[in-house]
Amino acid sequence: AVVSTQSTWESYLGLATRMSALVALTLLSILAPCARADLSSCFTENSTWVSSGIMDTLQPVADYNQCQQLCSDLSNCSAFTWTSEENTHAQLFCFLFGETGPRTTCEHCISGPPSCTCSTESACSAQEGNLIDVV
């Protein structure tokens, strides 16, 4: 029996294309949380805590990522709240909490923990331990 090398080659390319797409989708699902700062996954909008445990208040702080970094830099900071320019009571403030109490509403605020997975503005990197090989 004679087998056409063109059809075998086309079959191989089709299989390779499908496997490449599967690998790309797998990597996308693994790396997607690193590529975006999704507020719903780590941060809470329009909420803060009723607490006497405010360690520090800083102003002006440009954005919630910077406020989170300020919290992360302190070993005893357990949470932060950042207020945007739209907040009529405190614009561009960063409140650092040593302890939190019950939640309360806070218009134009973003609150969160001292760190989140992939919350910094950086690209994820491919290293020996996190690569997937196509066989």
Side-chain angles (χ1 to χ4, degrees):
V2 176
V3 177
S4 168
T5 57
Q6 183 176 6
S7 65
T8 303
W9 181 246
E10 288 171 353
S11 295
Y12 173 75
L13 285 177
L15 176 62
T17 301
R18 286 191 301 273
M19 287 187 69
S20 293
L22 179 61
V23 169
L25 286 173
T26 302
L27 287 174
L28 183 60
S29 68
I30 293 169
L31 298 178
C34 299
R36 59 187 168 85
D38 186 11
L39 286 176
S40 64
S41 66
C42 183
F43 304 105
T44 306
E45 292 183 273
N46 299 317
S47 178
T48 189
W49 298 273
V50 176
S51 176
S52 59
I54 296 176
M55 298 173 13
D56 204 354
T57 304
L58 307 161
Q59 197 265 340
V61 175
D63 60 38
Y64 66 91
N65 289 311
Q66 183 182 8
C67 187
Q68 182 184 42
Q69 184 61 52
L70 291 166
C71 182
S72 180
D73 290 344
L74 299 173
S75 62
N76 55 346
C77 184
S78 64
F80 74 90
T81 294
W82 174 78
T83 60
S84 72
E85 289 181 325
E86 289 82 27
N87 187 298
T88 57
H89 302 292
Q91 297 174 338
L92 301 177
F93 273 78
C94 178
F95 298 93
L96 304 178
F97 294 86
E99 58 184 56
T100 58
R103 283 209 176 258
T104 188
T105 59
C106 176
E107 288 188 34
H108 305 290
C109 297
I110 297 176
S111 298
S115 66
C116 303
T117 303
C118 293
S119 66
T120 60
E121 294 181 18
S122 61
C124 294
S125 62
Q127 298 172 1
E128 186 176 322
N130 65 358
L131 292 178
I132 299 172
D133 288 333
V134 177
V135 181

